[in-house]
């Protein structure tokens, strides 16, 4: 590539000059290419270790002038071909011009200007692709592609200098982190280390320090452990590796490939050595952290953040922290974890103004909202810029629907509905439903049942005054009063200051009247609901009456959702639950519906109207419990793994016992998926849900640990899983909420586990207090870190389960061992994933549906199959291999969707590897009959068929065939009717068992082959032997067999051509003689390529006379001899005679002069002795000629060389190993690049 001219003072150190002229020098790096000796070794080592300025290009071109000692680099190249192209351009375009100049300085100035011009022109063409990567980085990417044979589609994210520990020896080199691979390269004194690991294969990734290894990063796959150390910045490297591995796991989970996020803000000046992808990933990580911290919608993107202080009126302090700004929100987080959090939606902002600076309050910024609250920020570094950004976002607010789905709708008044004032209102009804018009619109659009416009608890509990509830009522009133005071001091609604005091109040329990409002607030569901008015009503309208697997499951579970609660013992509650669950399944088909969602949603409906319950469910499924409710409950399994890890850390004594009993896996899923709602009395579990919406998953893990801790002694005494489950079940049933004002709801689980002596009651608030006291050291960041580690483990174990399931689904007679099948599966899966990486245009690149059966989840297309076939087939056919692969693919693709699954793939491979000679020949024979032989392959090179008119006899024949099949059906029916009494059920069972039995295909089932197909078969056989040690003997044998079979076909034709029949009888439609391009016979294709023109094979592919697909003489029903085929004209005795005749011919070949056949003689389609036959066969394919599989088999059996070739065992294990080495070189660009490099 052209380089911006840079000075080089010592031009010849470490370089060899290969070409020179008065103005330019072409040089090669020592140590590159052949030779080089010790100097070459040292230079190669230096290049790798020091990453010198010439580290990419083994070739370069320098500009020089005769009297100057200074050289200028103008181009470099990774291959001789590339650099030669640049050299020739310089010679052709610049040499003439430069010779005119008198002054050397002018020459240099002209050359530099010209090169800069070329680079500018190239960059201009690249700009639309958004290529911002700096030059140094591009060089590293080039080196990575060349070194590891990666295609252009594989993007480098970053690269680091580090050491790889091979045994106890560190190898210094370079670690390249790409979107899909981790690569390492080292070259030290002639010893080369090259590693490539796919991120999807990583099972463990951790940063550790041991005595043996200094601070290092450990990367495990299923079959190797890798250690990397001596990083300049190990933290940054590990964080990036985590992100890339996480993306790969996401891809395995729902086949979501990596897409560069174009919507992320771009820096004005790109950093010198950071790629656009690295910036993109860093921005993603910050976005995820920002959204998780403030519970914001998934499409919210962070624009920037800055340090500042926030004036908090409730304690009269300036709290230091960070201000975050995005397109719809301004947020603040204090440095001290629980001191203060603040979220200000821009839709609420009325005034943003710069206040006067003072020594006490430097650079203050005041933000006022519609709810009459004013927030004062100070110590802002770049206040003017910040105000400008906020103003820009505010201007976009009315025209752009924030957080919307691109419908371009103007913000409605509901969006900008004012927050309630900080003063405590009389009731909170207007808060619980943000937009009254929505409720009425909803009920008018759905007529099937009255819509729950408020929490079901209010409808079914009755409005008994608090005074009647005695002490409980008084306690509830006190709680309400505490919250009202809190609202007065800290604000109410989204803009509330969230402090440690807020958490204290949540832990004391949220009053029933405020529960729905505060759940919406703390979960972030309020923001999504307010910015999407009418969204839920539209979804309900669209999903009503739609049927799917999800709706079927929802109907089944509706009456199992809190059946003990009066709200779900009537149609109002059930209908509301149905609508919310169906609407969510319609919104998010990847989750659809999962068990446990019904229980959680029924509780949400008790405290909020339908729309609120829907948005709470969205927050729960998509943000707060990620991946919990998908088909494989991955999120819950991940948190179960975290729970096991925490049990080991906090309760080591109990951990071992729990592992032995296998209890944790049983309990944690039901606890986590339903947030304890299904295992604890309702009044108690709802308090845990209060804390969960405020603190997240941390609370659930803390409470689970506290429950195990409280039962340690009893659990240690348990002898089996059942006993331990009973202990925990009885404990949970007796967790009570003595402050609840709701009438007690009978807990079904408690009725089942109650014993003679019920254990002591445990107060839910005491349990929460203990959980915070003992296990409060848990932090959200640590949990996220542990989630990543467990996600790798869980997803890889699910992949292993899928692999075992798929392998078990393969029939036992396939011939491969379990290990071989597993290896083949891994290769097959890698090929499928390649389409996710680089093949966006491929049919397999369409999102994989994880809900499909395991066997159908990974499938490959014809192109991918061709690549696998070429590397795994025992029948290497040189340039003919892709043709054979295409035929095999068409044969295996039974449902004609242009994709094959693993079972079909293995079936094809088994046909070539296993079975005796007959089975292998049968597989080869089928590859030369339709559907394997495509119509294109069966057409003439010149498509001479248009010369002939369509013969009506073919249509008549089709009719005849249809009538024949009808007659068969009639006969079958008559046969059934013959029975005097109706057959009993055992008869049907026997029939069903017969159908289920795999029908073994016999030799007789194979249709006959016409001359066209036979010629294709011979061509394949000739190509197959080209790389065999017994090549000449095999050519001799196949020449003998082919000649013999052609004669057998001629003899058979005489039997079939009986008087009164047309010569073309029995051949399906459009089987007229087809002329080939030159009037030559097909025999040159049957000539050994070794002894002839090397292009013979290539000519054969295109110029061989080919008949249309229908030209095979095939019976429709696969019943041995096809209807209307020549063999049908013969009686059984005649067929026997035909066979005996063929065997006689086989015997008689012994007397043929073999030398004649071995020479480069032309083998003709007819009998070699008659020239007229030769001419006729050359001009057209003989449509009456046909041959059966038995005849081919019998003929091949006479040649021991051929028999040995097909019976020779080939180890597929070695081929799989080779395939794994090159499985990253998927795309054609990779192949081109490889050849370019080697050139």
């Amino acid at each position: 590539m052209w380089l911006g001219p840079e000075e080089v003072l010592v031009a010849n150190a470490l370089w060899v000059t290969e070409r020179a002229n008065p103005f330019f020098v072409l040089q090669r790096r020592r140590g590159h290419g052949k030779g080089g000796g010790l100097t070459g070794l040292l230079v190669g080592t230096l290049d790798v270790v020091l990453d010198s300025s010439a580290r990419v290009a083994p070739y370069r071109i320098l500009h020089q002038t005769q009297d100057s000692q200074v050289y200028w680099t103008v181009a470099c190249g990774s291959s001789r071909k590339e650099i030669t192209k640049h050299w020739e351009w310089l010679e052709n375009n610049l040499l003439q011009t430069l010779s005119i100049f008198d002054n050397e300085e002018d020459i240099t100035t002209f050359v530099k200007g010209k090169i800069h011009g070329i680079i500018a022109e190239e960059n201009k063409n690249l700009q639309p692709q958004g290529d911002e990567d700096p030059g140094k980085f591009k060089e590293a990417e080039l080196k990575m592609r060349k070194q590891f044979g990666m295609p252009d589609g594989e993007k480098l994210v970053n690269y680091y200098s580090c050491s790889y520990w091979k045994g106890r020896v560190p190898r210094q080199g370079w670690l390249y982190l790409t979107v899909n691979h981790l690569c390492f390269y080292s070259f030290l004194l002639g010893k080369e280390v090259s590693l490539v690991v796919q991120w999807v294969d990583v099972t463990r990734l951790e940063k550790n320090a041991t005595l043996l290894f200094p601070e290092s990063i450990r990367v495990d796959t299923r079959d190797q452990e890798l250690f990397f150390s001596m990083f300049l910045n190990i933290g940054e490297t590990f964080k990036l590796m985590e992100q890339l591995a996480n993306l790969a796991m996401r891809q395995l989970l729902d086949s979501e490939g990596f897409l560069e996020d174009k919507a992320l803000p771009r820096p004005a000046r790109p950093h010198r050595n950071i790629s656009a992808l690295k910036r993109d990933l860093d921005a993603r990580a910050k976005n995820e952290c920002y959204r998780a911290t403030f519970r914001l919608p998934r499409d919210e993107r962070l624009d920037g953040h800055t340090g500042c202080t926030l004036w908090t009126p409730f304690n009269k302090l300036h709290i230091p922290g960070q201000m975050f700004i995005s397109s719809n929100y301004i947020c603040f987080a204090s440095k001290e974890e629980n001191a203060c959090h603040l979220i200000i939606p821009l839709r609420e902002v009325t005034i943003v103004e710069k206040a006067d600076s003072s020594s006490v309050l430097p650079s203050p910024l005041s933000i006022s909202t519609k709810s009459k609250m004013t927030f004062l920020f100070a110590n802002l570094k770049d206040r003017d810029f910040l105000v400008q950004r906020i103003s820009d976002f505010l201007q976009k607010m009315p025209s752009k629907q924030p957080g919307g789905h691109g419908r371009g709708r103007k913000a409605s008044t509901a969006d900008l509905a004012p927050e309630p004032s900080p003063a405590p209102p009389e009731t909170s009804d207007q808060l619980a439903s943000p937009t009254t018009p929505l409720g009425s619109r909803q009920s008018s659009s759905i007529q099937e049942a009255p819509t729950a416009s408020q929490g079901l608890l209010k409808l079914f509990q009755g409005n008994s005054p608090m005074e009647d509830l005695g002490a409980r009522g008084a306690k509830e009133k006190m709680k309400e009063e505490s919250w009202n005071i809190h609202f007065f001091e800290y604000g109410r609604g989204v803009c509330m200051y969230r402090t440690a005091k807020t958490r204290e109040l949540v832990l004391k329990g949220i009053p029933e009247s405020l529960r729905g409002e505060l759940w919406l607030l703390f979960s972030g569901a309020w923001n999504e609901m307010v910015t999407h008015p009418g969204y839920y009503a539209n979804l309900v309208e669209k999903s009503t009456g739609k049927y799917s697997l999800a709706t079927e499951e929802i109907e089944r579970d509706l009456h199992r959702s809190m059946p003990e609660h009066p709200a779900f013992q009537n149609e109002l509650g059930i209908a509301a639950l149905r609508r919310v669950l169906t609407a969510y399944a319609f919104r998010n088909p990847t989750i659809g519906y999962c068990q446990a969602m019904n229980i959680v949603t029924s509780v949400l409906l008790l405290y909020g109207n339908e729309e609120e319950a829907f948005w709470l469910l969205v927050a729960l499924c998509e943000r707060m419990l990620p991946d919990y409710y998908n088909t494989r409950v991955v999120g819950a399994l991940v948190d179960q793994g975290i729970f096991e890890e925490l049990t080991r850390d906090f309760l080591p004594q109990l951990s071992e016992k729990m592992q032995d009993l296998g209890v944790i896996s049983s309990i944690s899923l039901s606890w986590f998926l339903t947030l304890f709602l299904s295992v604890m009395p309702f009044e108690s579990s709802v308090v845990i849900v209060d804390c969960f919406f405020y603190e997240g998953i941390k609370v659930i893990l803390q409470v689970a640990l506290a429950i195990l801790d409280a039962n340690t002694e009893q659990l240690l005494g348990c002898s089996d899983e059942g006993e331990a489950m009973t202990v925990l079940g009885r404990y949970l049933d007796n967790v009570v909420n003595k402050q609840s004002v709701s009438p007690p709801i009978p807990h079904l689980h408690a009725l089942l586990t109650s014993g003679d002596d019920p254990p002591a009651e445990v107060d839910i608030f005491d349990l929460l207090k203990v959980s915070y006291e003992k296990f409060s050291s848990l932090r959200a960041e640590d949990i996220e870190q542990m989630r990543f580690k467990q996600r790798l483990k869980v997803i890889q174990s699910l992949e292993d389960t899928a692999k075992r399931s798929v392998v078990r689904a393969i029939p036992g007679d396939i011939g491969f061992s379990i290990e071989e099948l597993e290896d083949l599966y891994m290769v097959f899966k890698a090929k499928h994933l390649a389409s996710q990486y680089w093949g966006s245009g491929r049919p397999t690149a369409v999102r994989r549906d994880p809900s499909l059966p395991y066997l159908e989840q990974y499938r490959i297309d014809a192109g991918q199959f061709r690549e696998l076939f070429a590397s795994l087939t025992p029948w290497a056919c040189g340039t003919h291999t892709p043709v054979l692969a295409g035929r095999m693919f068409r044969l295996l693709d039974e449902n004609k969707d242009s994709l094959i699954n693993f079972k079909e793939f293995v079936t094809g491979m088994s046909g070539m590897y296993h079975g005796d000679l007959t089975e292998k020949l049968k597989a080869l024979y089928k590859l030369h009959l339709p559907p394997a032989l495509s119509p294109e392959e069966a057409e003439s090179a010149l498509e001479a068929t248009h010369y002939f008119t369509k013969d009506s006899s073919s249509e008549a024949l089709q009719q005849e065939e249809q009538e024949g099949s009808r007659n068969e059906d009639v006969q079958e029916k008559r046969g059934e009717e013959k029975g005097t009494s109706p057959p009993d059920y055992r008869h049907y069972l026997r029939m069903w068992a017969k159908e289920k039995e795999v029908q073994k295909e016999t030799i007789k089932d194979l249709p006959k082959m016409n001359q066209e197909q036979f010629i294709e078969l011979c061509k394949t056989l000739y190509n197959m032997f080209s790389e065999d040690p017994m090549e000449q003997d095999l050519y001799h044998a196949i020449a003998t067999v082919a000649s013999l079979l052609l004669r057998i076909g001629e003899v058979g034709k005489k039997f079939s051509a009986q008087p009164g029949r047309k010569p073309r009888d029995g051949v399906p439609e459009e089987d007229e003689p087809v002329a080939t391009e030159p009037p030559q016979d097909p025999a040159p294709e049957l000539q050994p390529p070794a002894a002839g023109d090397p292009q013979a094979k290539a000519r054969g592919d295109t110029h061989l006379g080919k008949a249309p697909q229908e030209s095979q003489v095939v019976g429709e029903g696969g019943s041995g001899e096809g209807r209307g085929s020549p063999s049908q004209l013969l009686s059984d005795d005649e067929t026997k005679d035909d066979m005996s005749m063929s065997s006689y011919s086989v015997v008689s070949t012994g007397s043929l002069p073999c030398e004649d056949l071995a020479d480069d003689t032309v083998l003709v389609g007819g009998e070699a002795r008659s020239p007229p036959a030769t001419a006729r066969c050359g001009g057209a394919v003989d449509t009456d000629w046909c041959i059966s599989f038995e005849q081919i088999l019998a003929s091949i059996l006479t040649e021991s060389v051929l028999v040995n070739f097909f019976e020779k065992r080939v180890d597929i294990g070695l081929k799989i190993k080779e395939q794994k080495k090159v499985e990253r070189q998927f795309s054609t660009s990779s192949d081109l690049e490889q050849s370019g490099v080697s050139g």
Side-chain angles (χ1 to χ4, degrees), residues 671-729:
W671 291 4
F672 296 162
L673 276 169
T674 64
L675 306 174
F676 290 101
L677 289 164
S678 63
V679 292
M680 247 185 220
F682 168 70
E683 311 84 50
S684 308
S685 55
V686 86
V687 177
I688 295 177
V689 178
D690 290 344
C691 300
F692 167 75
F693 277 124
Y694 189 77
E695 294 256 50
I697 192 65
K698 168 187 166 177
V699 177
I700 305 294
L701 291 166
Q702 282 179 191
V703 171
L705 287 168
I707 292 166
L708 291 188
D709 186 41
N711 291 281
T712 302
E713 283 182 31
Q714 284 172 283
L715 287 170
L716 287 171
C718 292
S719 55
D720 59 29
E721 185 188 357
E723 196 179 337
M725 293 297 286
T726 307
V727 167
L728 291 168

Side-chain angles (χ1 to χ4, degrees), residues 817-1025:
S817 67
I818 296 291
E819 292 75 23
E820 285 172 339
L821 282 172
E822 287 187 349
D823 286 346
L824 279 170
Y825 177 78
M826 293 311 285
V827 168
F828 185 86
K829 179 175 137 187
K831 191 56 75 177
H832 167 91
L833 290 173
S835 66
Q836 306 290 333
Y837 300 162
W838 303 312
S840 53
R842 292 182 184 272
T844 42
V846 178
R847 282 174 70 87
R848 173 171 64 95
D849 184 358
S851 61
L852 285 171
Y854 287 133
L855 198 59
E856 293 296 324
Q857 283 186 19
Y858 295 119
R859 297 186 296 172
I860 59 174
D861 62 24
Q864 293 167 315
F865 177 78
R866 205 174 293 124
E867 290 160 13
L868 278 182
F869 182 89
S871 54
L872 297 177
T873 180
W875 298 341
C877 297
T879 53
H880 193 64
T881 306
V883 178
L884 202 63
R887 290 176 191 166
M888 174 73 86
F889 184 84
R890 285 189 290 275
L891 188 67
L892 298 174
D893 182 21
E894 288 175 11
N895 60 355
K896 300 286 176 280
D897 63 350
S898 301
L899 294 170
I900 60 167
N901 63 27
F902 181 66
K903 188 176 178 180
E904 292 163 336
F905 170 71
V906 170
T907 308
M909 286 290 130
S910 176
M912 296 185 288
Y913 274 94
H914 299 292
D916 55 12
L917 169 78
T918 312
E919 291 300 313
K920 287 178 181 173
L921 280 177
K922 202 192 288 181
L924 192 61
Y925 184 83
K926 282 184 193 167
L927 290 180
H928 296 83
L929 296 172
L933 202 71
S934 73
E936 293 81 36
E937 289 180 311
E939 280 171 6
S940 155
L942 273 183
E943 294 182 41
T945 42
H946 73 274
Y947 180 76
F948 302 98
T949 54
K950 188 174 177 182
D951 194 351
S952 56
S953 60
S954 62
E955 288 166 22
L957 185 72
Q958 261 191 328
Q959 266 182 331
E960 210 176 282
E961 285 184 356
Q962 285 167 1
E963 280 167 26
S965 60
R966 270 193 228 112
N967 291 345
E968 279 181 23
D969 293 344
V970 171
Q971 280 176 352
E972 275 177 32
K973 281 179 187 168
R974 279 182 192 157
E976 281 175 24
E977 285 164 12
K978 274 182 192 173
T980 49
S981 60
D984 63 347
Y985 66 91
R986 281 173 299 185
H987 165 73
Y988 289 110
L989 278 174
R990 278 196 297 275
M991 280 175 67
W992 179 74
K994 216 176 240 182
E995 278 172 28
K996 294 294 280 180
E997 270 179 34
V998 181
Q999 294 296 313
K1000 273 285 181 191
E1001 192 178 42
T1002 65
I1003 289 176
K1004 290 278 182 194
D1005 293 334
L1006 293 169
K1008 290 202 173 189
M1009 188 179 263
N1010 67 21
Q1011 192 178 48
E1012 169 66 21
Q1013 294 154 356
F1014 176 68
I1015 290 165
E1016 285 292 331
L1017 174 63
C1018 291
K1019 191 199 301 185
T1020 301
L1021 287 167
Y1022 272 115
N1023 282 299
M1024 199 183 284
F1025 306 141

Side-chain angles (χ1 to χ4, degrees), residues 231-243:
F231 290 92
L232 287 173
N233 187 343
I234 194 166
E236 181 201 318
T237 312
F238 183 68
K239 191 177 165 190
L240 181 57
M241 289 166 86
E242 264 190 341
Q243 282 180 289

Side-chain angles (χ1 to χ4, degrees), residues 34-102:
K34 291 178 183 174
L38 183 61
T39 321
L41 276 181
L42 287 168
V43 174
T45 303
L46 282 171
D47 280 352
V48 170
V49 175
L50 302 178
D51 191 32
S52 62
S53 60
R55 67 199 170 288
V56 172
Y59 298 96
R60 70 179 183 182
I61 296 173
L62 303 179
H63 164 61
Q64 60 161 10
T65 50
Q66 286 176 344
D67 298 333
S68 172
Q69 292 302 307
V70 179
Y71 289 77
W72 300 83
T73 55
V74 293
C76 68
S78 58
S79 68
R80 192 181 293 274
K81 186 179 173 185
E82 184 187 352
I83 207 72
T84 307
K85 188 176 157 191
H86 289 335
W87 179 262
E88 285 171 356
W89 188 91
L90 290 170
E91 282 192 330
N92 296 335
N93 294 282
L94 285 192
L95 279 187
Q96 291 271 313
T97 315
L98 294 179
S99 57
I100 299 166
F101 288 93
D102 297 329

